[in-house]
Amino acid sequence: MVGNVWEWVADWAPFATNCPGWGSFSDDSMCLAGADTSRGPGALVRGGNWNYGAGAGPFAIDASVDPTFPYDTFGFRCAR
C-alpha cells in the first residue's frame, strides 16, 4: 500500500524544516533535516501519497507535519 496515502506512525521527531531527500540511496522523499525546536514536535508519517510519484515508497518519511492539522492525503493502517 506504499504510495496510497501518507501513513501516521507512532513516532515523533523535532519538526523538520528541510527535505534534502536520501541522495543517491533512494528517490523516496525524506524530510528529517533542519529541526525547528521553537515549536512542538513533528508527527512522523511514512510511505508518501499518490501525488509524490517516485518520491513515494518504503523509505519515504516526513517529520514536517503538524499533528493537529488534518490532511486529506494522510491515513493510518488498521491491522492486527
Side-chain angles (χ1 to χ4, degrees):
M1 300 275 307
V2 167
N4 188 19
V5 295
W6 283 102
E7 187 173 317
W8 293 103
V9 295
D11 293 313
W12 299 84
F15 195 89
T17 59
N18 192 7
C19 300
W22 294 105
S24 62
F25 174 73
S26 173
D27 289 339
D28 293 357
S29 174
M30 189 272 284
C31 297
L32 293 174
D36 180 357
T37 57
S38 67
R39 58 186 299 167
L44 284 183
V45 291
R46 298 194 62 126
N49 66 35
W50 61 89
N51 290 327
Y52 272 66
F59 299 113
I61 188 164
D62 191 339
S64 64
V65 178
D66 184 340
T68 63
F69 192 78
Y71 297 96
D72 62 354
T73 59
F74 288 8
F76 59 93
R77 188 169 301 194
C78 298
R80 273 177 43 146

